[in-house]
Amino acid sequence: MRKHVKGNVSWVGYIDWELETFHGDDYSIMNGSSQNAYLVEEEKTVLIDTVWTPHRFDFVENLKKEIDLNKIDYIVANHGECDHSGALTALMDEIPDKPIYCTANCVKSLEGQYGKRGWNFNVVKTGDELELGGGKKLVFVEMRMLHWPDSMAAYMTGENILFANDAFGQHFAVEELFNDKADRCLLYKEALKYFVNILNPFAPILKKKLAEIAALNLPFDVIAPSHGAIWRENPMQIVEKYVQWADAYQENQVTVAYDTMWEGTAKLAHAIAGEISRQSPDTVVKVFNVAKADKNEVMTEVFKSKAIAVGSPTVGNSVLSSVAGWLEFLKQLKFKNKKAAAFGCYGWSGESVKILKQLLAGAGFDVVEEEVRSLWNPDENDFAAVPALVSSLLAAPPKE
Ligand code: FEO
């Protein structure tokens, strides 16, 4: 069923209330999601993006109820990832000759995933235009590495709509479609989680792209991403947030992340959390057992933090596998401008704290020297080392 967006533009996507994970199981979905596709019906009719592969037949059948598929003049594929291109095969079986507008990298992506099917590709670059009639047009903007090499946005003049694809999106099911109708608290929670876990690795590129888009001085009435709510009420609010988030963002927060075998490292984690509050009552403190907490939610809290403390006991001359995996994901997200400390218990060889420090440094954190290493279970001497670790974490911000 179509939903009206603005003028002659409708939403024709799929609201995925049942979705629980994304990118395999690498991204947790707590509040549903959507794959947003758009139908532009000016003198020319354009379909912008499709939906994820499992919904391809429903998508085509639903689209047929809205429009004679032969009336579609052009298809725009802003991004080749299968959550947006997954219905192209079913659609192109119906209208095989229709031109597909996309980047050169998107052609590679689509042919790589679906094979060479003889589709009528029209490769576009930043600034290329597609006339819609009535004085309106689509202007393409390459969004390379935001977040794939093929990513692209399309700006519709006349209606002032930016079809931004993944940028500014959220994994968030909003049947009411628009930001002014969505639960604002959840909307921002999901927008931030999406930014942190999907876009932050590309924050330097994003900063440049946001400046490039701002320099165009285009009016934005609507920012229509490919997931979640459409930004209609003050759409620039999410652009302003992205500008902040892409610039080594932090709040007055410290996150403690750990796993534990026999509760010794857990005791240290809680002692560190308590000491942060004692030394700096205004600092928000969050504590997570990374083996039990949702990693995408924890990473969102790490993103907001100015410092983290990470703990693991020594096991197998290393750290617990839960912490090792978590640190690997931490490294991928390329956080900037954050301090880190390490702590943990051990029974004999005791390498965990040293390894944690190496891994945290490798993940781009400014690692403080102070540490807490506790033989067997923490005793008075170990707890006495906590204030120095916390003082160092809370001290002046790290070097840029
Ligand atoms: Fe929503 Fe990169 O796909």
Side-chain angles (χ1 to χ4, degrees):
M1 185 183 75
R2 75 165 70 201
K3 295 173 190 273
H4 181 246
V5 175
K6 184 173 188 280
N8 295 317
V9 178
S10 304
W11 174 96
V12 289
Y14 187 92
I15 298 190
D16 220 333
W17 286 99
E18 283 74 27
L19 196 66
E20 293 182 331
T21 62
F22 191 77
H23 285 161
D25 287 332
D26 215 34
Y27 189 108
S28 60
I29 306 277
M30 307 288 192
N31 295 289
S33 187
S34 66
Q35 298 115 46
N36 297 338
Y38 299 96
L39 190 63
V40 179
E41 294 167 286
E42 299 292 340
E43 286 173 23
K44 296 292 184 184
T45 298
V46 185
L47 176 70
I48 300 178
D49 293 324
T50 68
V51 301
W52 187 30
T53 320
H55 311 309
R56 63 193 185 281
F57 299 121
D58 283 346
F59 173 78
V60 171
E61 287 312 306
N62 287 337
L63 198 58
K64 278 183 185 172
K65 289 177 193 154
E66 302 298 337
I67 187 173
D68 175 353
L69 296 184
N70 290 303
K71 285 193 174 165
I72 295 173
D73 294 293
Y74 313 119
I75 296 157
V76 170
N78 273 332
H79 180 26
E81 195 165 8
C82 60
D83 51 326
H84 308 298
S85 68
L88 271 180
T89 51
L91 180 69
M92 298 311 285
D93 282 348
E94 303 267 351
I95 45 173
D97 300 324
K98 297 292 179 179
I100 299 173
Y101 287 75
C102 64
T103 63
N105 279 324
C106 191
V107 175
K108 285 187 205 166
S109 171
L110 294 175
E111 290 191 335
Q113 292 175 86
Y114 307 118
K116 290 184 191 284
R117 292 170 176 248
W119 290 347
N120 176 12
F121 288 115
N122 286 252
V123 170
V124 294
K125 299 192 185 76
T126 294
D128 287 352
E129 298 178 349
L130 186 60
E131 294 294 337
L132 301 173
K136 299 176 187 175
K137 58 192 177 188
L138 284 177
V139 184
F140 300 110
V141 182
E142 288 169 274
M143 303 280 276
R144 190 176 163 78
M145 294 320 297
L146 296 171
H147 65 127
W148 274 20
D150 64 291
S151 297
M152 179 176 85
Y155 178 80
M156 181 177 174
T157 66
E159 298 297 349
N160 305 334
I161 301 174
L162 181 69
F163 299 99
N165 199 258
D166 283 331
F168 312 119
Q170 332 91 46
H171 283 303
F172 184 28
V174 183
E175 203 72 57
E176 301 78 14
L177 204 60
F178 297 103
N179 66 317
D180 48 289
K181 295 193 168 181
D183 177 323
R184 310 283 174 102
C185 188
L186 277 181
L187 173 61
Y188 264 101
K189 180 182 184 296
E190 295 298 348
L192 178 61
K193 178 178 172 181
Y194 190 96
F195 179 92
V196 171
N197 287 277
I198 293 181
L199 294 175
N200 191 69
F202 312 104
I205 300 169
L206 183 58
K207 265 175 81 173
K208 282 188 197 151
K209 185 55 70 173
L210 290 171
E212 187 186 315
I213 291 172
L216 296 174
N217 258 328
L218 294 169
F220 292 106
D221 291 353
V222 173
I223 293 179
S226 56
H227 299 287
I230 295 171
W231 301 90
R232 170 177 74 175
E233 181 186 77
N234 181 17
M236 291 308 286
Q237 65 181 288
I238 189 62
V239 180
E240 287 156 15
K241 282 289 178 196
Y242 265 46
V243 169
Q244 293 174 16
W245 294 341
D247 195 19
Y249 182 80
Q250 59 176 234
E251 298 176 9
N252 184 12
Q253 177 169 324
V254 179
T255 295
V256 181
Y258 74 97
D259 193 8
T260 192
M261 287 176 75
W262 298 111
E263 300 304 319
T265 302
K267 284 179 187 154
L268 289 176
H270 290 111
I272 290 167
E275 181 64 17
I276 295 164
S277 269
R278 195 189 68 76
Q279 290 191 23
S280 179
D282 291 337
T283 298
V284 174
V285 185
K286 302 275 174 113
V287 180
F288 299 100
N289 179 325
V290 298
K292 296 183 173 144
D294 179 275
K295 77 173 186 296
N296 306 107
E297 300 280 329
V298 178
M299 288 308 174
T300 307
E301 297 303 329
V302 169
F303 176 77
K304 287 154 66 179
S305 300
K306 59 185 180 182
I308 63 173
V310 179
S312 171
T314 296
V315 57
N317 301 112
S318 186
V319 299
L320 282 168
S321 59
S322 54
V323 178
W326 187 83
L327 286 166
E328 171 58 27
F329 189 48
L330 184 74
K331 183 180 176 184
Q332 290 175 23
L333 295 183
K334 295 188 167 72
F335 294 140
K336 300 258 187 303
N337 196 33
K338 298 186 193 302
K339 296 174 91 169
F343 61 95
C345 295
Y346 66 102
W348 49 102
S349 61
E351 298 93 333
S352 71
V353 169
K354 184 179 170 195
I355 290 170
L356 288 174
K357 284 179 158 180
Q358 289 168 348
L359 292 172
L360 285 163
F365 285 72
D366 181 17
V367 181
V368 303
E369 193 177 326
E370 290 78 3
E371 61 187 36
V372 184
R373 286 178 73 236
S374 181
L375 181 59
W376 300 115
N377 274 313
D379 63 14
E380 280 177 17
N381 290 332
D382 300 315
F383 289 121
V386 167
L389 178 150
V390 168
S391 298
S392 191
L393 267 190
L394 293 175
K399 305 175 284 293
E400 285 287 339

